Amino acid sequence: MISLSDDQLLRYARNILLPEVDVAGQARLLASHVAVIGVGGLGSPVVQYLAAAGIGQLSLVDDDLVEVTNLQRQIIHDTTQLGVAKVTSAEDYIHRLNPEVQVTAYAERLTAVNCAAMLANVDLVVIGTDNFASRYLVNAFCRREQIPLVSGAAIGTSGQVSSFDFARHASPCFECLYPQGQDEHLSCASAGVLGPVVGTIGSIMALETIKILLNLGRPLFGRLLSWDAREMDWQTFNHARAIDCPSCHETPV
């Protein structure tokens, strides 16, 4: 177990005061490696809270550049970063917030060719991109490697979060929940989204990540959390492994 310095005991004191975390839990966070796929609207609060919580190593994957239209919701970026790779902007933000966090930035799109290299040795993957091809790719990789996955989405005034425990026998996967060919092909660029909606959903994704790493409480395994921000209505739906899911069929548990 990592031994915490006096500075770390002070920085993470509010985490450590929680009986569910304590010094041992904080040491576990400091030893953890999390990959964040997409550092935009959802990835912004994920990166903020994971870096602040003391996740020891973050791998960031995003091939986009910061644009002025991003700044309404992607709050780790600012006007001084326009035209800069989002992962570079995110890395700069993390280093200002918590210089102890080790960051590996990949300014390229995740593909079947580079997926294994980018996600090597991670303890958990968080994904919040508009690209469903990347989601299915990450889902298949995490299922094969038995790496937990936290997935979130937000559009308009609504959002959803679910987590997947691929070390658990008969765990459903992302493709069980969202079969290929049935996604709606919507994005924030085409449909719009309110900034606080992605902020809220991204914060929940960060919380799920910390809970899973600490084995804390009840993560959203086998459950989909859905939020209608207009009505301030939260609902949770159970979901199970689909018997006809091709991803599960290819990687049996």
Side-chain angles (χ1 to χ4, degrees):
M1 185 178 72
I2 293 177
S3 178
L4 273 64
S5 68
D6 289 344
D7 288 343
Q8 289 173 325
L9 290 170
L10 181 61
R11 174 183 279 270
Y12 305 116
R14 298 303 184 273
N15 283 355
I16 294 168
L17 283 171
L18 294 168
E20 305 95 324
V21 181
D22 207 343
V23 174
Q26 187 60 52
R28 192 175 305 126
L29 295 180
L30 290 167
S32 296
H33 181 184
V34 174
V36 180
I37 315 300
V39 288
L42 294 170
S44 287
V46 170
V47 164
Q48 284 181 312
Y49 280 111
L50 294 187
I55 300 300
Q57 187 173 352
L58 290 171
S59 290
L60 312 178
V61 182
D62 197 313
D63 66 337
D64 284 343
L65 306 179
V66 178
E67 301 177 2
V68 68
T69 55
N70 302 145
L71 304 184
Q72 161 260 6
R73 65 198 179 281
Q74 300 182 17
I75 54 177
I76 59 174
H77 312 300
D78 59 46
T79 52
T80 67
Q81 302 282 3
L82 293 176
V84 174
K86 285 184 181 178
V87 290
T88 301
S89 174
E91 182 176 10
D92 290 344
Y93 179 92
I94 292 167
H95 286 158
R96 291 194 303 272
L97 175 63
N98 190 348
E100 292 185 344
V101 177
Q102 298 179 32
V103 180
T104 304
Y106 298 101
E108 52 188 304
R109 184 176 290 265
L110 200 72
T111 67
V113 174
N114 61 28
C115 181
M118 287 186 183
L119 303 183
N121 302 314
V122 302
D123 299 302
L124 185 147
V125 177
V126 189
I127 187 164
T129 69
D130 291 336
N131 186 299
F132 265 73
S134 295
R135 289 178 178 269
Y136 293 128
L137 181 62
V138 168
N139 173 72
F141 175 83
C142 288
R143 182 162 188 78
R144 183 173 64 251
E145 301 298 323
Q146 296 188 332
I147 298 169
L149 172 66
V150 175
S151 173
I155 199 162
T157 57
S158 63
Q160 299 176 333
V161 182
S162 190
S163 299
F164 304 90
D165 178 15
F166 293 128
R168 182 169 58 88
H169 179 69
S171 169
C173 75
F174 179 82
E175 195 169 351
C176 293
L177 188 59
Y178 300 101
Q180 294 199 45
Q182 296 186 21
D183 57 277
E184 297 179 350
H185 301 289
L186 290 177
S187 69
C188 296
S190 61
V193 66
L194 287 179
V197 173
V198 291
T200 300
I201 296 300
S203 296
I204 293 171
M205 294 164 67
L207 178 59
E208 279 289 287
T209 299
I210 293 169
K211 286 167 57 183
I212 293 168
L213 292 173
L214 294 178
N215 193 26
L216 171 64
R218 185 187 177 201
L220 289 167
F221 295 143
R223 297 186 295 156
L224 175 69
L225 179 66
S226 178
W227 181 42
D228 178 351
R230 294 181 64 175
E231 301 298 325
M232 203 52 72
D233 181 38
W234 297 87
Q235 297 185 67
T236 305
F237 304 94
N238 295 326
H239 63 94
R241 184 182 182 191
I243 58 174
D244 58 347
C245 172
S247 181
C248 292
H249 178 71
E250 291 172 5
T251 53
V253 293

